[in-house]
Amino acid sequence: MKTAPRRTHHQVTFAVLTVGVAAFALLQSLVMPVLPTVEIELGTNQTNVTWVLTAYLLSASIFTPIMGRLGDMYGKKRVFVIALTALAAGSLLAALASTLTVMILARVVQGIGGGVLPLAFGIIRDEFPRAKVPGAIGLIAALISVGAGAGIVLAGPIVESLGYHWLFWLPLIITSLAGVAALVLIPESPIRTHGKINWLTAFLLSAWLVALLLAVSQAPKWGWGSAKVISLLGAALVVAAAWIIAESRSSNPLIDMKMMRIRGVWAANLIALLMGIGMYAGLGFLPQFLQAPSSAGYGFGATVTESGLMLLPNAVAMFAVGLFSGRLAARFGSKNLLVVGSLITAGSYFMMAFLHSSEIDIYLANAISGIGFGLVFSAMSNVVVASVPQEQTGVASGMNANIRTIGGSLGAAFMASVVAVGASSSGVPVESGYTNGFAMLGAAGVLASVAALFIPTVKRNKQTHLEDSADMPHPELAMVAGGTLSGAKSE
């Protein structure tokens, strides 16, 4: 009688997954503090260089659910290796890029690698002892936060000692090693789910987003009343309507429109969209503001390293709040945390808009925003899980995180458009551009708090004081707010 082949110990599998996810987390945040450097090196302007961030977020929002579903259908290990290969290929292309077009293409390829997160969660679910799953997922989630903070801090020393190309050479080395290790050491799961990819809805989603982002980002240059901008906005509207219809009729939707009718789900997703706008636009443009010379009438002439350190309180506070989010939700309720967290985030951006004359102001505002984001993103997961049947938690949580990423791509484009208004002939933004931009992000936080009021109050167990469903060990809940967060696979 044949014995089943011995499977790799789950701790070895976890080590390999950790390396792959760490490389993914670093790739997101390493680029943010150096956008001004990339702008100079590639000879472009602030509006266009924002696409280095926007293209990645847009690509990740499309490919993350696709890669998760492919993993379900054809094997999570196989697709995990493909995702790491995409990260490595995109890093290689970015390291060699000498034009903005090539750099944007490289970032699109890297976005395919966003699938490492839902795939890592799925592999842990398949390979780990049941009792070990929640802890392993929690550690991976914490790694995302730590990696995001580390990337912001490490970007400066890497650029100043080796050059900005090494921001991609180093992740290339790490992802290549992780890919080989995954191929050799991670066992392939025998679990398969039937399904298919709806490429039509994926195309429609990407088409209307690109049209909208292009119109918004180029409007200051072309004029809001220009034929190009009006045509792009009209096309975005028409294609978005077609996408909604197609998703509603699809048996394999990327974003489940039927589920969006649930009050707790659509309210949480609206908050995710608005918070995604705030987080990514803030992290993408604060370094440019900080690195601007004081002769511009604002800014601190900070180095890449110094601007990264000023952003660090955001990641630290976000991670710290995430550690206590469960207790806070049990004590005060997730709905209340969403309202308060959104208002705290709004306050931090209004502070950045109108009180940014000293470095202490920036450190304090970033710490406050980290607290706000930490409260919102942790509580939002509880609300989503409590709003849907248990068998739909994977789809609902993944959809929520994916909408957050879409919000990030929109936020970066909106912020670029606002900041560019009134820029000098040399392309240097004026202070009012940033003031208006940060105020816009503050307004997004206020709107998120209003949306939170529509969330039904989640009932709490009288004996445990925990919210119903909130304490269930769903891997998707571990996607805390420490970087670009991606959707979970469908179940």
Side-chain angles (χ1 to χ4, degrees):
M1 182 174 118
K2 289 185 179 181
T3 58
R6 186 177 179 182
R7 301 181 77 78
T8 303
H9 194 279
H10 68 272
Q11 292 180 348
V12 176
T13 298
F14 182 74
V16 177
L17 295 176
T18 297
V19 175
V21 172
F24 166 74
L26 284 172
L27 266 174
Q28 301 171 84
S29 55
L30 278 172
V31 175
M32 290 180 177
V34 299
L35 285 178
T37 302
V38 175
E39 176 185 342
I40 295 171
E41 294 289 336
L42 298 183
T44 184
N45 56 52
Q46 189 181 49
T47 299
N48 290 338
V49 81
T50 305
W51 279 90
V52 174
L53 174 61
T54 303
Y56 174 83
L57 293 172
L58 180 61
S59 175
S61 68
I62 304 299
F63 282 102
T64 294
I66 290 176
M67 296 295 281
R69 181 126 350 136
L70 287 173
D72 293 343
M73 294 164 57
Y74 301 109
K76 300 177 186 70
K77 167 191 171 175
R78 180 183 303 174
V79 182
F80 185 77
V81 172
I82 293 174
L84 289 175
T85 301
L87 282 174
S91 298
L92 175 62
L93 188 59
L96 298 174
S98 58
T99 66
L100 180 64
T101 301
V102 176
M103 178 64 77
I104 291 174
L105 177 61
R107 295 290 282 169
V108 170
V109 175
Q110 286 178 341
I112 300 173
V116 297
L117 277 177
L119 293 166
F121 292 145
I123 290 170
I124 288 173
R125 257 192 305 210
D126 292 347
E127 297 299 323
F128 280 45
R130 186 176 182 83
K132 300 285 186 181
V133 169
I137 291 295
L139 288 173
I140 289 289
L143 180 64
I144 299 169
S145 294
V146 173
I152 289 173
V153 175
L154 292 174
I158 292 173
V159 170
E160 291 167 8
S161 59
L162 300 173
Y164 87 91
H165 293 287
W166 279 91
L167 296 175
F168 303 107
W169 286 122
L170 292 176
L172 168 62
I173 295 170
I174 296 173
T175 51
S176 298
L177 292 174
V180 173
L183 188 63
V184 174
L185 297 175
I186 293 180
E188 183 59 89
S189 171
I191 300 173
R192 296 285 189 278
T193 18
H194 297 291
K196 63 180 181 178
I197 306 298
N198 192 325
W199 296 107
L200 173 61
T201 59
F203 170 76
L204 292 174
L205 174 61
S206 58
W208 78 259
L209 280 173
V210 169
L212 176 61
L213 295 172
L214 189 60
V216 171
S217 63
Q218 295 299 320
K221 179 180 177 181
W222 294 342
W224 282 98
S226 67
K228 289 181 181 179
V229 170
I230 293 175
S231 297
L232 284 169
L233 291 175
L237 183 62
V238 171
V239 177
W243 169 71
I244 291 173
I245 294 172
E247 288 278 44
S248 300
R249 296 177 177 177
S250 174
S251 57
N252 296 281
L254 289 178
I255 296 180
D256 192 336
M257 293 299 167
K258 296 182 179 69
M259 194 179 296
M260 286 285 283
R261 299 172 186 170
I262 301 173
R263 188 163 59 137
V265 173
W266 69 252
N269 286 338
L270 179 55
I271 296 169
L273 182 74
L274 293 166
M275 287 291 103
I277 289 174
M279 184 169 71
Y280 290 110
L283 292 178
F285 278 82
L286 259 176
Q288 301 180 48
F289 176 83
L290 299 174
Q291 293 171 37
S294 55
S295 59
Y298 61 91
F300 302 93
T303 63
V304 178
T305 300
E306 291 169 344
S307 63
L309 289 173
M310 290 184 193
L311 291 174
L312 184 59
N314 179 284
V316 173
M318 209 184 300
F319 176 66
V321 170
L323 295 177
F324 298 97
S325 61
R327 296 178 187 176
L328 292 172
R331 177 68 179 83
F332 300 105
S334 293
K335 177 178 179 177
N336 293 329
L337 292 188
L338 283 172
V339 174
V340 173
S342 298
L343 290 175
I344 290 174
T345 303
S348 71
Y349 278 125
F350 285 130
M351 181 177 176
M352 290 179 193
F354 304 109
L355 188 63
H356 50 243
S357 58
S358 71
E359 293 184 12
I360 295 299
D361 297 334
I362 302 300
Y363 280 109
L364 182 58
N366 271 301
I368 293 172
S369 70
I371 292 172
F373 283 125
L375 289 173
V376 169
F377 289 139
S378 57
M380 195 156 47
S381 294
N382 288 343
V383 168
V384 171
V385 169
S387 298
V388 298
Q390 183 175 353
E391 66 272 12
Q392 292 182 316
T393 55
V395 175
S397 299
M399 179 172 65
N400 180 265
N402 211 42
I403 289 174
R404 191 185 316 167
T405 308
I406 292 172
S409 61
L410 292 171
F414 290 152
M415 190 71 174
S417 181
V418 173
V419 170
V421 175
S424 64
S425 56
S426 62
V428 177
V430 294
E431 184 177 10
S432 61
Y434 282 107
T435 297
N436 294 334
F438 292 136
M440 176 189 70
L441 301 185
V446 173
L447 290 175
S449 70
V450 174
L453 296 175
F454 288 89
I455 292 175
T457 301
V458 181
K459 295 181 180 179
R460 281 184 278 176
N461 188 297
K462 294 182 179 179
Q463 293 181 335
T464 65
H465 300 290
L466 292 173
E467 294 174 319
D468 289 345
S469 300
D471 58 334
M472 296 179 121
H474 299 295
E476 295 79 12
L477 296 187
M479 296 184 290
V480 296
T484 306
L485 303 182
S486 53
K489 67 184 186 61
S490 62
E491 293 182 338

